[in-house]
Amino acid sequence: MTKIKVVIAFIVVGSLIYSLNAVAIPLQTDEINTIEQMNAQLDFLFGSHEGYQSFIDQLKEDIAHQNKAAVAAVVKYPLKVDIANKRVLIKNKQQFIHNYEEIITPKVKKSVAKQQFIGMFANWQGMMFGSGQLWISGYCLDKTCKDPAQTRIYIKAINN
């Protein structure tokens, strides 16, 4: 009798998880073909789409022109990256700028340059460039996190 209850509970929990996944991801990346669809996905995930497209456009430009200070200014510190096959903790802008070429590698540059805003992969953790070379996310500046004007977008991960 106990085994039957466990099996039933397992089936119920599995069904709930499947249902929640269907609700949590309203649009698949390959179905997003317009700016309106992309903005709707970001509104659903983050509460607002404000600022994401302009942040991405500016980041692409700054990386293309090697504007090290501008890129360093939009990193959420501390940031863990790989430098010379070692995991390194980048603590501030100066350290980021000093190691810029080892952090923003040709692979990272290429993934950022090729990434289009429409159809960009996004989930509750943020937005992904390429196949995970760079991630961005919004961070709340206040405790309520209800005002989009109180959110700042930062680079949260670089997988170089």
Side-chain angles (χ1 to χ4, degrees):
M1 185 73 164
T2 315
K3 288 182 180 180
I4 293 173
K5 288 181 182 177
V6 170
V7 170
I8 291 172
F10 187 72
I11 291 170
V12 169
V13 169
S15 297
L16 286 172
I17 291 171
Y18 180 78
S19 297
L20 288 173
N21 281 338
V23 170
I25 306 170
L27 298 171
Q28 295 298 321
T29 304
D30 59 352
E31 295 176 5
I32 296 176
N33 297 311
T34 67
I35 192 74
E36 292 80 12
Q37 290 173 328
M38 190 69 197
N39 287 342
Q41 181 185 37
L42 298 181
D43 289 343
F44 177 80
L45 290 168
F46 310 138
S48 175
H49 65 272
E50 297 298 321
Y52 283 92
Q53 185 173 12
S54 60
F55 180 91
I56 290 164
D57 291 343
Q58 186 63 53
L59 181 63
K60 290 175 73 161
E61 186 175 317
D62 290 338
I63 288 177
H65 294 100
Q66 292 194 334
N67 188 342
K68 298 174 186 181
V71 177
V74 295
V75 171
K76 182 75 170 158
Y77 297 100
L79 178 72
K80 290 182 182 178
V81 296
D82 292 327
I83 296 176
N85 296 320
K86 284 185 169 179
R87 198 73 169 153
V88 176
L89 186 66
I90 303 297
K91 298 177 184 174
N92 55 47
K93 294 174 190 176
Q94 294 78 16
Q95 191 179 7
F96 185 92
I97 291 168
H98 178 75
N99 293 288
Y100 185 87
E101 280 78 19
E102 290 82 19
I103 298 169
I104 305 296
T105 62
K107 182 170 110 177
V108 173
K109 288 179 191 175
K110 184 177 180 181
S111 72
V112 170
K114 289 177 69 176
Q115 186 63 59
Q116 298 297 313
F117 177 70
I118 296 173
M120 189 171 184
F121 177 81
N123 66 18
W124 63 275
Q125 294 177 308
M127 299 180 74
M128 179 178 78
F129 286 78
S131 57
Q133 287 79 17
L134 191 141
W135 282 81
I136 64 169
S137 187
Y139 290 86
C140 299
L141 302 178
D142 67 346
K143 292 183 184 191
T144 64
C145 203
K146 293 185 180 191
D147 181 6
Q150 293 298 313
T151 299
R152 295 293 177 268
I153 304 166
Y154 292 103
I155 296 169
K156 70 180 269 180
I158 300 175
N159 300 301
N160 53 352

